Amino acid sequence: VFSNLPFLLTGLYGLSRRRRIEPRCAVAYTVLCAGVLLVSLGSAYYHWSPSTATLLWDRLPMTVAFMALFSMLLEERVVESSRTLYPLLLAGVASAVYWYWTETRGAGDLRPYLLVQFLPILLLPLILAMFPSKYLSNKMLAGALLLYCTAKVFEHYDRSVLESISIMSGHTIKHLLAGASTLCIILSV
């Protein structure tokens, strides 16, 4: 539960600096920061009382943060439009709700949710390499990607990490690294 503190602090820090943000991405940036802040609450809620219902509240804000980041990146480098945020947010929220709906019916279809979570991460290096930056820092976004990928490795080896170091699980370290990753994203603007 306490390993969600980096998300809370990063979300609050990001919101505190939103007045200094590039106006073209201010709305998506604010949604991103709010999503990160809500990740801290949703994830803490889930880890305090694990269930399918609480896992929905863990996943929903993550989709908001991922889609806000993807929108910022697309609008800064790929499309000259400010019309991607709301459709992407809708797709993100729908993916988590769809998972929950299928999970309560015994199917648990994660495919749309996984697409929402991993498509921006998979496309990030391509977008950074192919499109010039206007205001988002390539170095900070690359750092965020590296930290996030490292976090996913620790998540995968959760029990092995706990057995090896015995003071923290891989999942706990994942939260800390993912929190650092979100800080890099916030500092990229």
Side-chain angles (χ1 to χ4, degrees):
V1 173
F2 291 111
S3 66
N4 288 291
L5 188 59
F7 297 116
L8 176 69
L9 297 175
T10 302
L12 289 171
Y13 173 68
L15 288 172
S16 76
R17 61 189 295 271
R18 74 177 181 267
R19 288 190 185 103
R20 296 178 276 169
I21 299 308
E22 168 65 37
R24 290 181 284 180
C25 74
V27 174
Y29 174 86
T30 302
V31 171
L32 168 72
C33 294
V36 170
L37 180 66
L38 292 171
V39 163
S40 72
L41 302 175
S43 183
Y45 179 43
Y46 169 68
H47 288 88
W48 183 263
S49 178
S51 71
T52 299
T54 59
L55 185 54
L56 174 65
W57 296 107
D58 184 19
R59 289 183 170 164
L60 271 173
M62 281 191 264
T63 67
V64 169
F66 279 117
M67 293 295 91
L69 169 62
F70 197 35
S71 175
M72 280 177 25
L73 194 60
L74 289 175
E75 291 180 8
E76 186 227 11
R77 300 183 187 213
V78 181
V79 295
E80 294 291 326
S81 167
S82 60
R83 296 185 180 143
T84 64
L85 179 62
Y86 298 111
L88 287 172
L89 288 174
L90 180 62
V93 168
S95 75
V97 170
Y98 173 76
W99 161 79
Y100 179 75
W101 181 75
T102 61
E103 185 69 25
T104 60
R105 280 149 184 74
D109 188 355
L110 272 172
R111 290 173 298 177
Y113 175 77
L114 292 174
L115 181 68
V116 162
Q117 186 178 52
F118 290 110
L119 184 62
I121 301 306
L122 293 172
L123 292 177
L124 180 65
L126 292 172
I127 293 171
L128 293 181
M130 295 173 60
F131 298 94
S133 171
K134 294 179 185 129
Y135 50 84
L136 294 174
S137 165
N138 277 4
K139 287 182 184 178
M140 294 307 287
L141 290 173
L145 178 63
L146 179 63
L147 285 165
Y148 187 75
C149 290
T150 305
K152 294 305 276 183
V153 169
F154 274 95
E155 178 182 43
H156 181 75
Y157 292 105
D158 178 44
R159 184 169 300 281
S160 300
V161 170
L162 179 61
E163 290 169 357
S164 295
I165 63 174
S166 55
I167 57 168
M168 249 191 270
S169 69
H171 196 86
T172 301
I173 295 170
K174 173 214 158 191
H175 281 189
L176 301 175
L177 290 170
S181 175
T182 59
L183 181 59
C184 286
I185 292 167
I186 285 172
L187 294 174
S188 76
V189 181

